[in-house]
Amino acid sequence: MGYQGRKAEMIYEFPDLLPNTDSTKIAYAELQKRFGKSGAILLVAIEGKPTENLEKFQAWYDLISDLKQIDGVDTVVSITSIFDVVKNSKEKVFEIKPVVTTKPVNENELIEIREKIARLPFYKGLLYNDSSGASLIALTLDSKTFHSMARVPLVQNIEDRVEQFKTDQNTEAYISGLPYIRTVVTEMIRKELGLFVGLSILITTLLLSIFFRSTKTVITSMTVVAIGVVWYFGVLGTLGYKITILTALIPPLLIVIGVPNCIFLINKFHSEFKDHQNKMKALSRVIEKIGNATLLTNFTTACGFFTFVFTQNPLLIEFGIVAFVSIMFIFIIAICVVPIFFSYFPEPKSKHSRHLDKKWIIACVNYFERVVLNHRSITYGITGLIIVISVYGMTLLKTTGNVVDDVPDSHKVVTDLRFFENHFNGVLPFEIAIDAKKPGYASKDHTLKKIDKLYKVLAEYDQFSRPLSVIDGIKFCKQAYYNGNPKKYQLINQQEKVFFKSYLENSRSDQQWLSAFIDTTKQYARISVQMKDIGTKEMEAIFAELNPKIDSIFSPDKYNVHIVGPSITFLRGTTFLIENLKISLALAVLIIAVIMLLLFRSWRMVIVSLIPNLIPLLVTGGVMGYFGIALKPSTILVFSIAFGISVDDTIHFLAKYRQELKQSGWYIKKSVLNALNETGISMMYTSIVLFFGFAVFMISDFGGTQALGILVSLTLLVAMVANLILLPSFLLTLDRFLTNRAFKEPLLEIIDEEEDIDLGNLTIKKDSPTFVKENQKEQTP
């Protein structure tokens, strides 16, 4: 598995959130096939106009020259490398000529450059903001380099050069663009993965040392989780999956799930050995008895994650498969490693079982017992009040989905993005794909006028940048025909077509840059726009308003128009993801309910066992609503993770309760109290480990991951209290209503260790045939 794990790599693309059958995804794939995939474009911007100061412009010019030299940078576009379209009347052709041929050496040359740029409306709003003076550089990165491990040093080289420019010029510079955001966020995930694993191991080691005060216990438990983490990477490598923002959460999860496995097994071993001082028999009983319950608890937890497979979402499917396999592996590792290690260790001494008699934990269990016996009505009243408050809080929940949603507002990625949004209305690309349904119709006058009309509609929204399409090229050519007059930056009218025809037919250069916006059949056209990082709700509201306006311009009978692009795919995919996570949670509840039904063969018991585990989810939802924690992909995972883990305590408790029922002759009160005392210690130990294990996520730089740590810890804490107070209270209150014949004869039997017989204490009755026969033999000479 370690060898296979070497193949696991970080994913540097935004995860694929939409199924292959989604219309938006299909339309975008067709656009890419028709016009080619857009290159990875990284943007650099500065405040102020570089053309107003000779020294600043020279430094800007040198920066662009240096960026061109970086390996992995294909092209660099800025006001120092722009071109002008010039009319050649003699040959009746449009020619492309650079505006800046050399670095200016005096103010007169700079003034000339400044005047030329001012006469070219094509670049206004694209490469500079005329009102604020902000200017940008667009770098197209080599696709092969960018989609490899070399992308990180490539981006780092660009950052270093920009940082040097900032220092030399004592000015601010900003970097953004989808490729840059992807790279920085992915690196943050990679670094946090190692940090979380290290902290999870450190915290669980510390807790185990405090609880057990045994080096052997710590070594054994850490060996289990270490092997589990290695196997996680091996699963990724074997299946060919990459590490995403979701699968990166699995190693810490394995640690906080694997350690409770070890706690239950080791607690049972010490408890058994304390009773009969036989190490091998104690280990055998651990495997046979606690092993069954541990298998079920791990299986239910794994099933909670496996439900993601049914969501039709590639990101969630991978997460569900890897989590399911890894959790089942951690059970196999624990059930093998713990008995093997302790079989070689010396017999435990009395001090090793003192953790079973700690005063503070016994006091807690005794308190829970008093509440269950004497204050059930108060318990139900408080529970009802909590449910009402939580349900109201859930009505305040909001959903959101932004590209930099979980990145702190103070992080450079966000502050730089906001600069581009303020000065250029965003950097997130989206496309409007236009199908005129007939060859040649995309270049017809009526279609071009419709595109120009759509420009005016898009200009009404501050969330969109200035569009770019085939009509900009046509307007640029018309301006060139009228000797660069900026007022002629317009579409060609019907009368002018005759004069322009020969120029357009003779010009090859214009065809190259126009072909990026209209295909060879002239049936399909595209409009490229940048947008701000708006949330899913705002996006849905805008496009709900925009789509009817598009239909009013481009009649659906004559045109097929789709809004597509990576940012649209991501934002719509986020909405799709949240809806699918809700479905997966419902499936998790259903699957676990079925497992409980197979275990206890009683729907009554299933309902009673689910209530203490659903209430913590309501509490968490209420807390999110009251504190304004949005429902998004990173936070909705809380419910599936917490439910799958919290139900483990229920299974342990009810399994022990059923065993006690048989032992006590179906005396319910005694069985409940014995089960509470027997399982309470392990449940509290494991809940404390889980609480602090998930608490490590609170130090994350991602807001969603921080919320995940806080909310899962809170949910598991509430679930522990519910399972130790509410569940026993239900069992005592409902009494015989729950213990029907089906519950007495379960489909899946968990062996009762109390029914085991110590063979060393067996004797033969004196009146048995065997005894009489053997006695006669002894008396025969």
Coordinates of all heavy atoms in Angstrom, one line a residue, residues 245 350 418 465 497 634 736 769:
I245 N -10.2 18.4 -2.0 CA -10.4 19.1 -0.7 C -11.3 18.2 0.2 O -11.2 18.4 1.4 CB -11.2 20.4 -0.9 CG1 -11.2 21.3 0.3 CG2 -12.6 20.2 -1.5 CD1 -11.7 22.7 0.1
S350 N -2.1 -4.4 37.6 CA -3.3 -3.7 38.2 C -3.3 -2.3 37.8 O -4.4 -1.7 37.6 CB -3.3 -3.9 39.7 OG -2.1 -3.3 40.3
R418 N -10.5 40.8 -4.9 CA -11.4 41.9 -4.7 C -10.9 43.1 -5.5 O -11.7 43.9 -6.0 CB -11.5 42.3 -3.2 CG -12.0 41.2 -2.3 CD -13.5 40.9 -2.7 NE -14.0 39.8 -1.9 CZ -14.4 38.6 -2.4 NH1 -14.3 38.4 -3.8 NH2 -14.8 37.6 -1.7
S465 N -17.7 41.8 -16.4 CA -16.7 42.7 -17.0 C -17.2 43.0 -18.5 O -18.2 42.5 -18.9 CB -15.4 42.0 -17.1 OG -15.4 40.9 -18.0
K497 N -20.5 47.9 -46.2 CA -20.0 46.5 -46.5 C -19.2 46.4 -47.8 O -18.3 45.7 -47.9 CB -21.2 45.6 -46.6 CG -21.5 44.9 -45.2 CD -22.6 43.8 -45.5 CE -22.7 42.9 -44.2 NZ -23.6 41.8 -44.5
S634 N -18.5 22.2 2.2 CA -17.6 21.9 3.3 C -18.3 21.7 4.7 O -17.9 20.9 5.5 CB -16.5 22.9 3.5 OG -17.1 24.2 3.6
R736 N -41.6 -2.5 28.5 CA -42.0 -3.7 27.7 C -42.4 -3.4 26.3 O -42.4 -4.4 25.5 CB -43.1 -4.5 28.5 CG -42.7 -4.9 29.9 CD -41.8 -6.1 29.9 NE -41.3 -6.4 31.2 CZ -40.5 -7.4 31.5 NH1 -39.9 -8.1 30.5 NH2 -40.2 -7.7 32.7
P769 N -24.1 -40.6 34.1 CA -23.7 -41.9 33.6 C -22.1 -42.0 33.5 O -21.5 -43.0 33.7 CB -24.4 -42.1 32.3 CG -25.6 -41.2 32.4 CD -25.1 -40.0 33.3

